[in-house]
Amino acid sequence: MTDNGGTAAELRKSGHGAQAGGSAAQPVIRVEGLEIRRAGAPVIENASFTIEAGDFVGIVGPNGGGKTTLVQGMLGLLPKSKGEVWIYGVRLHEFRGWEKVGYISQEATNFDEMFPLSVREMVGIGLVSGKTIARPLRSGQWKKVDEELEFMGVADLAHRRIGELSGGQRQRVMVARALVRDPQLLVLDEPERGMDASALERFYGKLSELHNQRHTTVLVVSHDLSTVFCRMSRVLCVNREVYSSCVDGTQETEYLKKVYGEHFTFVYHKHECKEGFS
């Protein structure tokens, strides 16, 4: 099992069996009464919400509030103690369509500076499966790799070692690696770690393009509330309990106080978002 990014299939050793079912009208993710425990204590309690196709979702909350636990529970990377999760209308334990899901963990960019693979080779790994692991990539597959490097704005880095790159560059490479399989759902856990403000703006700009141009459903665990409320259409506020809302300026203050505390203050005005934010 690996958590260096790419599809969730690589993380769950479940790359065979029945394909995902359900109609196009099914939510991408449906969660009902989800409880996840660690060391016997509940980290997520009685979570119920849906993620619809085309949502751009920010998952926010204090450190230790359970954001990563929630994401890993939704993807089956952590066991649940109660509740149910459906992905594209299929119960989590029966779901086999993991080629639809791209997941990039917090540790995805932790490479030693001397890690030998080039950027292009790293992205190419996203097209390798158990059936093709001994086969070299075909020319059409390398073309797809180059297209995603171009889309993520890192084509000029293709022949550099992945370990030489900055945090922001590595994150864009890992997104390109996930995108080579054309996922319908992309989940990122705190991708802004190690980025300065300029790199962060470029990175989230690319995620917005992905969402707007390809209609990919995107979930991002983030500590950057301004980015979440400027760019994203939905927000999940998480601190053991989960509060789900559209970003429309009506319920966010109430939910943020529930997860950060009554004295938390966050003033958000849509007109103050930078030009180009969606």
Side-chain angles (χ1 to χ4, degrees):
M1 182 178 290
T2 175
D3 61 358
N4 266 353
T7 65
E10 296 172 85
L11 304 168
R12 296 199 60 225
K13 299 181 181 178
S14 57
H16 63 280
Q19 294 301 307
S23 69
Q26 291 282 358
V28 173
I29 295 175
R30 180 160 65 98
V31 174
E32 289 189 5
L34 181 65
E35 179 182 280
I36 303 172
R37 291 176 170 262
R38 283 187 163 180
V43 180
I44 295 295
E45 284 190 295
N46 197 30
S48 297
F49 57 88
T50 60
I51 304 297
E52 303 292 341
D55 278 348
F56 193 178
V57 183
I59 303 174
V60 303
N63 288 332
K67 300 183 297 296
T68 294
T69 297
L70 176 65
V71 165
Q72 292 181 345
M74 286 191 304
L75 296 178
L77 301 173
L78 286 176
K80 58 184 175 62
S81 53
K82 292 181 183 178
E84 291 290 348
V85 178
W86 290 261
I87 302 182
Y88 292 102
V90 180
R91 288 181 187 272
L92 179 62
H93 68 277
E94 299 173 341
F95 184 73
R96 297 294 182 269
W98 292 105
E99 73 283 351
K100 295 183 176 184
V101 183
Y103 170 62
I104 302 173
S105 73
Q106 291 183 18
E107 292 77 32
T109 59
N110 291 346
F111 295 102
D112 184 271
E113 290 183 2
M114 299 307 295
F115 192 80
L117 289 186
S118 71
V119 165
R120 193 168 186 254
E121 290 167 336
M122 175 59 71
V123 174
I125 287 175
L127 289 170
V128 176
S129 67
K131 296 179 180 179
T132 63
I133 194 166
R135 270 186 240 155
L137 296 186
R138 301 183 297 273
S139 60
Q141 291 176 305
W142 282 118
K143 181 180 178 182
K144 176 64 172 173
V145 168
D146 293 336
E147 287 172 354
E148 298 304 349
L149 287 171
E150 183 68 33
F151 177 78
M152 290 305 301
V154 288
D156 59 322
L157 306 175
H159 299 293
R160 289 182 61 183
R161 285 202 312 270
I162 185 74
E164 297 176 334
L165 306 186
S166 68
Q169 290 170 332
R170 292 184 190 191
Q171 283 288 2
R172 283 186 280 160
V173 170
M174 298 314 294
V175 173
R177 180 186 167 185
L179 294 184
V180 292
R181 292 193 182 184
D182 294 318
Q184 297 175 23
L185 168 65
L186 181 65
V187 183
L188 305 97
D189 192 356
E190 296 192 24
E192 65 260 33
R193 291 167 59 174
M195 294 193 209
D196 60 24
S198 177
L200 190 62
E201 185 174 341
R202 287 196 300 273
F203 180 77
Y204 276 111
K206 284 298 178 183
L207 290 188
S208 291
E209 287 182 35
L210 175 67
H211 173 252
N212 293 330
Q213 295 176 15
R214 303 189 189 181
H215 309 293
T216 306
T217 305
V218 181
L219 278 67
V220 185
V221 175
S222 178
H223 288 285
D224 189 330
L225 291 178
S226 294
T227 293
V228 168
F229 284 92
C230 280
R231 287 195 181 271
M232 302 183 191
S233 60
R234 295 277 307 285
V235 60
L236 297 180
C237 299
V238 181
N239 189 359
R240 203 150 107 173
E241 296 183 80
V242 180
Y243 303 90
S244 176
S245 173
C246 294
V247 177
D248 60 8
T250 57
Q251 293 178 303
E252 286 78 19
T253 299
E254 172 192 348
Y255 289 162
L256 289 171
K257 285 186 175 182
K258 284 181 181 292
V259 300
Y260 287 102
E262 282 299 320
H263 299 292
F264 179 81
T265 301
F266 174 68
V267 179
Y268 159 68
H269 300 291
K270 186 74 173 178
H271 68 270
E272 293 179 357
C273 294
K274 294 181 181 180
E275 185 179 353
F277 280 45
S278 59

